[in-house]
Amino acid sequence: MSDRKHDGRKQPAAAAFQFLSRFPVKMQIDFVPPLLRESVVYYPLVGAVIGLAVWLGAAVSGVLLPSFPAAVLTLTLWVWLTGGLHLDGWMDTADGLLSYRSRERMLEIMKDSRVGAMGVIACVLLLMMKAALIADFIARANWMYGALLILPMIWSRWFMVYAISAWPNARGDDGLAVLFKGLGERREVQRARSNAIGLTVLVGVITLAVGMLFQPEMSVVEGLHIGNSLMTLPWWLYPVIAVIVVPLACYVIGKWIAGRISERLGGLTGDTYGAMNELLEAALLTVLSILQGFFWI
């Protein structure tokens, strides 16, 4: 019985890694709808592993190179690990939505395998933003809080699961999204959320443990004045706030974006799921960058 249960978890996990990443998972997978729906439980885990690989790459390249070349190499690794899957969705979505045509015409444009001018521009701007954010984190060189940088990858992939379940398929019974039909009625959505929360708590605990190990003598914030008094905040407040703010920001930003897209297309598509993943990764990294600036890290 235990072997059967283990195999029942192994196949969906392998499907999630094969579908969302280029990690060498050696298993023959038949991507049928039931298995794809079960695999979404492991989307946050795939995000965590991608995030870990990316930020280990950033730490190593940041030692060997200046921050911006190191950021470009890190971003190259990041894109390679995902196979450009979500970037393709980002470009197709930009081509469609920014054409300002009718709903039917936008869906046709998004289905076209060719990339238009707006898709290229959106891709360049997104990669520039990500490279700038990565360079900022590398330049700060404060890897005591490095585990927190995995959070955007965890929650952006959780939001894809939520979006699949919460908004209708814009193409009806056509397109990649139809393979996940009925997900909103299944417990996999709740399990994916539980996994994302569990991974977030783990990241927070690891960050706190690393901080205690290094025993920072300085408080995280200095020079924050209230009246004539100097108020300092303990170093552990930054990771505590981060593990709360990042999921909330993901939900608020993602829900607003998904709602706007759904209004225009009459639902969401496989391309828009990927586009929202890319957008949320950049947005949540920006949130962390703002928090680091506020806490003077």
Side-chain angles (χ1 to χ4, degrees):
M1 179 67 71
S2 61
D3 290 340
R4 188 181 302 171
K5 186 180 290 187
H6 178 71
D7 291 339
R9 293 175 179 174
K10 192 174 180 181
Q11 278 230 340
F17 275 92
Q18 286 189 7
F19 189 64
L20 295 182
S21 76
R22 285 181 178 265
F23 287 111
V25 179
K26 303 297 183 182
M27 181 179 287
Q28 191 67 31
I29 300 293
D30 185 12
F31 288 97
V32 294
L35 181 60
L36 284 172
R37 289 192 292 265
E38 178 70 21
S39 71
V40 303
V41 172
Y42 300 95
Y43 278 21
L45 178 62
V46 176
V49 177
I50 291 174
L52 178 62
V54 167
W55 295 112
L56 284 176
V60 172
S61 61
V63 171
L64 302 175
L65 295 167
S67 60
F68 193 72
V72 173
L73 284 179
T74 301
L75 184 57
T76 302
L77 171 65
W78 191 350
V79 173
W80 180 82
L81 284 173
T82 63
L85 175 66
H86 307 307
L87 271 178
D88 182 65
W90 170 259
M91 290 186 288
D92 287 342
T93 300
D95 277 335
L97 293 179
L98 298 179
S99 69
Y100 298 102
R101 306 289 182 86
S102 66
R103 170 186 176 275
E104 290 75 18
R105 182 56 183 149
M106 285 191 289
L107 289 173
E108 286 179 12
I109 292 172
M110 290 166 63
K111 198 171 185 178
D112 193 333
S113 60
R114 295 169 295 181
V115 180
M118 297 311 299
V120 172
I121 292 171
C123 183
V124 170
L125 292 175
L126 177 74
L127 292 177
M128 287 175 60
M129 184 64 180
K130 283 189 172 183
L133 289 166
I134 295 169
D136 177 53
F137 291 125
I138 292 174
R140 294 177 192 268
N142 197 334
W143 295 105
M144 187 177 84
Y145 304 101
L148 296 175
L149 301 174
I150 299 173
L151 294 178
M153 285 77 149
I154 294 173
W155 285 98
S156 65
R157 281 156 184 81
W158 165 81
F159 191 83
M160 285 197 296
V161 179
Y162 174 71
I164 293 170
S165 67
W167 282 273
N169 179 7
R171 299 188 187 277
D173 291 329
D174 189 23
L176 180 63
V178 75
L179 297 175
F180 298 90
K181 187 176 182 180
L183 186 62
E185 304 163 6
R186 299 167 63 89
R187 59 190 176 88
E188 280 78 5
V189 178
Q190 289 72 35
R191 290 171 59 195
R193 183 181 60 217
S194 297
N195 284 347
I197 292 172
L199 289 166
T200 300
V201 171
L202 178 61
V203 165
V205 169
I206 290 173
T207 304
L208 291 172
V210 170
M212 291 177 183
L213 182 65
F214 282 91
Q215 296 179 345
E217 297 177 0
M218 301 293 289
S219 62
V220 175
V221 176
E222 292 181 348
L224 190 62
H225 294 270
I226 295 181
N228 294 322
S229 64
L230 178 67
M231 183 184 74
T232 59
L233 300 177
W235 65 270
W236 50 262
L237 193 58
Y238 168 60
V240 169
I241 290 177
V243 300
I244 295 172
V245 168
V246 169
L248 287 175
C250 177
Y251 179 76
V252 172
I253 297 171
K255 191 169 184 180
W256 183 76
I257 294 296
R260 294 293 300 274
I261 293 175
S262 184
E263 284 178 8
R264 297 190 62 190
L265 296 179
L268 303 179
T269 70
D271 285 327
T272 62
Y273 300 143
M276 285 186 293
N277 178 79
E278 290 290 339
L279 178 63
L280 285 171
E281 282 180 338
L284 297 179
L285 284 175
T286 303
V287 168
L288 283 176
S289 181
I290 292 171
L291 284 177
Q292 286 192 348
F294 179 76
F295 279 86
W296 293 11
I297 294 174

